Amino acid sequence: MVPAVPGTGTRLGGFVCIVASAAGFGAMPIFAKLAYAESVDLPSMLFLRFALAGLMMAVLMRVRGMVWPRGRNLLLLVAMGGVGYVAQSFCYFAALQYATAGLTALLLYLYPAIVTVLSALLARRRLSLLRLLAVAAALFGTGLAVGGSLAGSVFGILLGIGAALIYSVYILVGERVTPLVGAMPSATVIMLAAAAVYGLIVLSRGAAFPASPVAWAAVGGIALFSTVVAMITFFAGMARLGAADAATLSTLEPVVTVILAAIFLGEAIGSWQIAGGAIILAAVVVLARSGAEKR
């Protein structure tokens, strides 16, 4: 069982887990660009992402003799994958059609602030000034890190905010369910549920699966590193830190993406992005060093 008030060692372990998760999720756009370049379309890529990851996790659960979630917890996890993950990704990718990538990313990363506020309201506890400042700094740093134009229509802005709200609810539900059933079973059910929905979408419109070794390597990277590793470490970290701190620490994701894009895709890193990354890292260090609040 996870202690009600995490200790220093527990928080450090949670911090390491969230950093690993951020690295996995942050690498996903790089893998995705490689897959797109090989003519893999979005629904097919997402189906393969969740199907392959779900199968890998199911095999690991079988080998380790882990118990599948049941009853109400199983239904919640299926809803998180089949409804929450699907709806969030739909809103996010639809927003890209009505707003710039910079604005869409910035709106999505409103979720740490939303999670922090909702978590405090649900637990009926006061937010410390240090925690609020860390969240605000992470959001500001994200705005600098994503860079680019921040233009978009009202509809695009609403879709972007919708993605952040859905993801916030997803995280808060996961915070309650994961300690009861475990990080691996939670991630497995979520992935398989999302795969089922995207499988129906692919059947309805036709598939565009990978046709080259590079494409399969990119999709495999998304499934293994950016899904299996990223989701399990996120749930494990959230169980130790709580939803609010886990969400705030996850703002490392765009920093990882910018660095990897520069290394593997040759994209330039501007001074504003460096400044944004430094601010995010400062906020992460503050949260990592802070003690848990009394509940």
Side-chain angles (χ1 to χ4, degrees):
M1 290 290 291
V2 178
V5 181
T8 303
T10 302
R11 285 187 63 81
L12 179 60
F15 171 76
V16 172
C17 285
I18 296 300
V19 170
S21 174
F25 283 128
M28 185 159 55
I30 311 304
F31 289 127
K33 282 195 173 186
L34 293 174
Y36 289 150
E38 297 292 321
S39 301
V40 181
D41 68 4
L42 179 61
S44 299
M45 183 179 68
L46 290 175
F47 166 69
L48 289 173
R49 172 198 180 189
F50 290 115
L52 292 175
L55 289 174
M56 282 188 276
M57 294 305 304
V59 170
L60 285 175
M61 282 186 61
R62 177 72 174 179
V63 170
R64 298 179 62 178
M66 303 183 75
V67 179
W68 285 87
R70 297 178 181 177
R72 180 173 179 270
N73 290 331
L74 176 61
L75 293 177
L76 285 173
L77 290 169
V78 169
M80 286 174 65
V83 178
Y85 232 117
V86 172
Q88 187 272 338
S89 62
F90 171 82
C91 286
Y92 178 78
F93 287 104
L96 289 172
Q97 301 177 22
Y98 300 95
T100 60
L103 178 58
T104 303
L106 183 58
L107 290 173
L108 175 63
Y109 281 94
L110 287 171
Y111 79 82
I114 297 172
V115 169
T116 299
V117 172
L118 289 179
S119 182
L121 290 174
L122 291 173
R124 296 183 179 179
R125 67 171 181 265
R126 185 175 61 86
L127 289 171
S128 68
L129 179 60
L130 180 64
R131 196 172 300 271
L132 287 173
L133 289 175
V135 173
L139 179 60
F140 178 67
T142 301
L144 295 179
V146 297
S149 171
L150 298 181
S153 67
V154 173
F155 186 54
I157 292 173
L158 290 176
L159 286 170
I161 294 174
L165 287 171
I166 294 169
Y167 195 46
S168 299
V169 174
Y170 168 91
I171 290 174
L172 289 170
V173 174
E175 182 187 31
R176 294 175 179 272
V177 179
T178 303
L180 301 176
V181 301
M184 189 178 297
S186 296
T188 304
V189 174
I190 289 171
M191 285 184 273
L192 291 175
V197 174
Y198 279 113
L200 293 175
I201 294 174
V202 169
L203 284 175
S204 66
R205 56 173 291 169
F209 290 146
S212 70
V214 173
W216 277 112
V219 172
I222 291 174
L224 178 59
F225 188 54
S226 298
T227 306
V228 173
V229 174
M231 287 185 68
I232 291 177
T233 51
F234 179 81
F235 282 130
M238 182 169 61
R240 292 165 172 79
L241 299 175
D245 284 359
T248 302
L249 292 173
S250 292
T251 53
L252 280 170
E253 291 171 23
V255 177
V256 173
T257 301
V258 168
I259 293 173
L260 292 179
I263 295 174
F264 294 104
L265 302 179
E267 296 184 4
I269 299 180
S271 57
W272 287 113
Q273 290 174 311
I274 295 175
I279 292 172
I280 292 173
L281 289 175
V284 166
V285 170
V286 168
L287 285 178
R289 291 172 62 90
S290 68
E293 294 180 353
K294 292 183 179 180
R295 301 194 177 191

